[in-house]
Amino acid sequence: MSGPLLVALDIDGTLLTYEGDLADDVREAVAAVRAAGHHVVLATGRSVHATVPVAAELGIEHGWAVCSNGSVTVRLDPDLPEGYVVHEVITFDPGPALRLMAREMPEAHFAVEEVGVGFRMNKPFPDGELSGVQEVVGLEDLAGRHVTRLVVRSPGHTPEEFHEMVARTGLSEVTYAIGWTAWMDVAPAGVTKASALEIVRSALDVDPAATVALGDGSNDVDMLRWASRGVAMGHAAEAVQAAADEVTGTIEEDGAATVLRSLL
């Protein structure tokens, strides 16, 4: 393809290790792809206030970022006080899903996102798992207004038990992604990284055949299928790798750098 590519990159487990470290080789590869004129778009489950510092660490001051698994899309601009402007926010009523899961998992941690601020939660999450301002409130307060994302954290349950709970209860009218640990992100129905990236692709006037995506988690599956070239990290689960066109090295092998340099 002639013209710039749209290169969508997951953050945690793809660009950054799960401990939050960024390899020099990955940083340099991102810079090289951008210097070649391609559009690098961070596409992450992170909230916007946790995404902007990563963009800055990568040297990305201008461009687009898809946050909160597609519920929040922003344009980066270093001249603005927060370093970004919100392009789109999609919300939903968390009440039905929250009440259903609270009955199934009464000991679970629940939180709803406050865009650009932090989270409201029913009890504190383990240190470092959520960012921004954190306020502890009652469950009915969490269910009281529309939000971009509902987070469910239940240390006593496995990811498999989360899947079983969803199947058993018939959780509907939402989109959900289950993480490596007993963690679930619940978003508005039909909203994924892929749905937000399609809006970005259209805004940038990039041909659908000129799209690349790289990720490692279940919340990346739709994005990998959306891209003309979807690449899964080598440590990704079998279902994630099956959704991709190809598989690169693991996070320890700087697999992201390998893919990015192949675009040059």
Side-chain angles (χ1 to χ4, degrees), residues 25 88 127 187:
D25 198 28
E88 182 177 50
D127 289 345

Side-chain angles (χ1 to χ4, degrees), residues 235-254:
H235 59 275
E238 184 178 338
V240 179
Q241 294 190 17
D245 300 297
E246 60 190 86
V247 179
T248 186
T250 65
I251 186 71
E252 291 81 8
E253 297 166 336
D254 295 343

Side-chain angles (χ1 to χ4, degrees), residues 6-89:
L6 190 165
V7 184
L9 302 175
D10 173 51
I11 293 179
D12 298 290
T14 300
L15 297 179
L16 273 61
T17 68
Y18 296 113
E19 292 73 36
D21 298 324
L22 173 64
D24 289 340
D25 198 28
V26 174
R27 186 200 316 273
E28 292 164 4
V30 169
V33 169
R34 295 184 64 244
H38 301 303
H39 304 288
V40 173
V41 179
L42 299 180
T44 177
R46 288 185 176 220
S47 301
V48 61
H49 58 269
T51 302
V52 172
V54 177
E57 188 174 2
L58 290 165
I60 304 174
E61 293 186 328
H62 294 90
W64 295 79
V66 169
C67 308
S68 304
N69 289 321
S71 293
V72 181
T73 303
V74 301
R75 282 192 301 104
L76 301 171
D77 186 340
D79 294 329
L80 295 175
E82 301 296 330
Y84 66 89
V85 60
V86 175
H87 176 76
E88 182 177 50
V89 173

Side-chain angles (χ1 to χ4, degrees), residues 179-258:
W180 290 97
T181 57
W183 177 291
M184 178 191 291
D185 279 329
V186 182
V191 173
T192 65
K193 293 183 182 183
S195 64
L197 285 166
E198 179 60 19
I199 293 172
V200 173
R201 184 198 65 77
S202 180
L204 292 172
D205 196 26
V206 172
D207 191 284
T211 54
V212 180
L214 178 61
D216 75 309
S218 64
N219 60 339
D220 296 315
V221 166
D222 288 321
M223 175 176 78
L224 297 178
R225 290 173 174 158
W226 163 85
S228 177
R229 180 186 176 190
V231 186
M233 296 294 289
H235 59 275
E238 184 178 338
V240 179
Q241 294 190 17
D245 300 297
E246 60 190 86
V247 179
T248 186
T250 65
I251 186 71
E252 291 81 8
E253 297 166 336
D254 295 343
T258 301

